[in-house]
Amino acid sequence: MNTLKQSELIALLGLPSTDPKIVQFFERYALGKLPKTITANQGIKSIIYRPLNISFWFKYDIKNDHFQPPISTSNDSGKFVAYLCSIMFTHVDHSSKHPDSKPKDFWDVLPLPEAPHEEVEQLMGKPTYENEVEKAYAMSEGTENIITIKYTQSSKGNAFYSSWIAIRQESEIISRDFFNRSHEFENFPFLRLGHTAIIKWLFDNQLLLIDKDLYKKGLKPDSEEILDFVEQHLNNHLWKNQLADVEYLSSFLYSITTNRKLTDPEGNPVSFYFRDIILSALNQKDTFERLSEENYDVVDQFLNDIVFDEDLYKKVSILLTQKLKLFQRWKTIQ
């Protein structure tokens, strides 16, 4: 059998599992059985080729716009196209006691696992992360892929090496599920409208990385128009790479879109959840909390009945600006 090359594996990244190129490659080297599809519950599937200490990882929902939206293989959207999203070149970390099993000819892109750090730095630059027990290097491979090497030292002084390549993925702030008008779960009407208020605030403050001409056109405080905007210009989601470079903006958005308490400088827990911001704008927070305690079954309907009109969008926008400034101030003094 011909020697398998690292560069050959890299060329497969991003291919669907049914692509003839990857099918023939796996058959040629007897690497294992490819997954035909992936379900939402599975999320990810792996193939481990133990003779050469390599593992292949397949996903359907890759947070990269080249793979969005996920592609369903059936009308009921239960099964999705499986893409090769990452490859572990060392499924089990290389060490002096457990050396990697691949021949030297395999390593035609990265230095050998036992290569000195100087050789790695010459290729990949200075470490992207380093502490007392770990050191990591990363470099781009093409426009969408990142190769990573990590060295780890155990408490007994043993050194371990691992390396992998993965499709570049973005940090997701608001999932496309919330903007998808075909999804009608019990609490989605309110969640969808609540998220349009966040988009409107980002737009009005020019905090989105969009064409400047779009800002000149404006965005009406109308939920349907905002959802159209998100679909046409944000690919139906909100990710960190779509935000302007404003200090702590992404952290702030993570905080308001998840129901987690923050701690103020005095150590007190404070809610920044956008549901509470909307209720505060309507002076309905106390009413909501009372309903939650007395009759939780009607809570979703109470929220879904909220009318998102121009006045509410304006009030929410003012509160979001105030909350961001407060968030930035707290982060600065921590």
Side-chain angles (χ1 to χ4, degrees):
M1 185 174 75
N2 295 332
T3 301
L4 183 63
K5 302 286 188 183
Q6 189 176 37
S7 57
E8 293 178 300
L9 296 184
I10 292 173
L12 302 175
L13 204 66
L15 292 179
S17 62
T18 54
D19 188 287
K21 182 178 178 181
I22 195 170
V23 171
Q24 293 167 11
F25 190 90
F26 267 63
E27 290 176 349
R28 176 186 176 191
Y29 290 103
L31 297 175
K33 185 178 180 181
L34 288 161
K36 291 184 178 180
T37 59
I38 293 181
T39 66
N41 287 335
Q42 290 169 325
I44 191 166
K45 285 185 178 181
S46 65
I47 297 174
I48 303 171
Y49 186 64
R50 299 188 188 282
L52 290 181
N53 192 29
I54 303 169
S55 58
F56 305 85
W57 299 82
F58 294 82
K59 287 182 68 176
Y60 75 95
D61 187 12
I62 301 174
K63 298 299 184 289
N64 180 303
D65 272 328
H66 287 280
F67 301 91
Q68 290 289 326
I71 298 176
S72 173
T73 60
S74 58
N75 292 330
D76 62 3
S77 299
K79 297 180 179 180
F80 295 87
V81 172
Y83 294 96
L84 179 59
C85 66
S86 61
I87 304 169
M88 288 289 302
F89 301 126
T90 48
H91 180 73
V92 177
D93 290 3
H94 163 90
S95 66
S96 57
K97 289 187 176 182
H98 301 282
D100 183 63
S101 56
K102 289 182 282 298
K104 292 183 178 180
D105 288 347
F106 170 85
W107 301 95
D108 63 341
V109 176
L110 294 178
L112 296 170
E114 61 268 23
H117 289 198
E118 291 79 10
E119 187 176 344
V120 174
E121 290 194 10
Q122 187 175 1
L123 173 68
M124 305 181 75
K126 295 295 182 182
T128 55
Y129 173 79
E130 185 174 9
N131 61 24
E132 293 180 355
V133 296
E134 287 187 347
K135 181 183 288 188
Y137 299 86
M139 73 174 185
S140 296
E141 177 69 21
T143 58
E144 301 298 335
N145 305 326
I146 300 175
I147 295 180
T148 303
I149 290 177
K150 186 173 77 171
Y151 297 93
T152 306
Q153 188 166 328
S154 71
S155 58
K156 296 181 179 180
N158 298 321
F160 298 89
Y161 164 100
S162 59
S163 62
W164 62 91
I165 186 169
I167 294 172
R168 190 187 305 272
Q169 296 197 62
E170 300 298 336
S171 298
E172 182 180 73
I173 297 170
I174 303 177
S175 164
R176 63 186 304 110
D177 288 337
F178 292 113
F179 295 119
N180 187 337
R181 280 173 271 206
S182 67
H183 289 191
E184 291 300 341
F185 301 118
E186 284 184 357
N187 61 347
F188 262 39
F190 169 77
L191 292 176
R192 181 172 296 118
L193 293 174
H195 287 114
T196 65
I198 294 173
I199 296 296
K200 180 70 167 70
W201 172 72
L202 289 169
F203 182 95
D204 290 345
N205 289 276
Q206 299 195 14
L207 297 174
L208 295 168
L209 293 179
I210 56 175
D211 192 309
K212 296 300 181 185
D213 288 339
L214 291 174
Y215 283 125
K216 296 177 183 177
K217 295 180 180 179
L219 183 62
K220 293 179 181 178
D222 175 80
S223 59
E224 291 301 312
E225 182 168 322
I226 296 170
L227 289 172
D228 288 341
F229 168 82
V230 174
E231 181 178 359
Q232 295 167 17
H233 303 291
L234 299 178
N235 202 13
N236 251 354
H237 55 60
L238 182 65
W239 291 350
K240 184 177 178 180
N241 68 326
Q242 295 171 314
L243 299 173
D245 186 16
V246 173
E247 190 174 30
Y248 299 120
L249 176 59
S250 61
S251 297
F252 171 71
L253 291 170
Y254 287 131
S255 297
I256 69 172
T257 53
T258 54
N259 194 4
R260 293 178 297 178
K261 298 286 186 180
L262 299 178
T263 304
D264 68 14
E266 286 73 42
N268 302 309
V270 180
S271 172
F272 272 53
Y273 190 33
F274 77 99
R275 182 198 65 197
D276 294 337
I277 292 173
I278 293 168
L279 291 171
S280 295
L282 293 167
N283 293 317
Q284 291 291 322
K285 192 173 180 182
D286 290 341
T287 303
F288 175 82
E289 291 176 354
R290 187 174 63 254
L291 272 178
S292 299
E293 295 175 359
E294 297 175 354
N295 190 358
Y296 192 76
D297 292 338
V298 302
V299 164
D300 283 338
Q301 191 58 51
F302 175 83
L303 293 173
N304 291 338
D305 286 341
I306 292 175
V307 177
F308 280 74
D309 55 16
E310 184 174 356
D311 183 59
L312 179 56
Y313 277 112
K314 187 180 297 183
K315 289 178 179 178
V316 170
S317 180
I318 293 171
L319 287 177
L320 284 172
T321 298
Q322 292 173 352
K323 290 283 188 180
L324 174 60
K325 291 179 179 177
L326 185 61
F327 185 89
Q328 291 169 326
R329 186 162 69 249
W330 287 0
K331 286 291 185 180
T332 301
I333 63 177
Q334 285 180 354

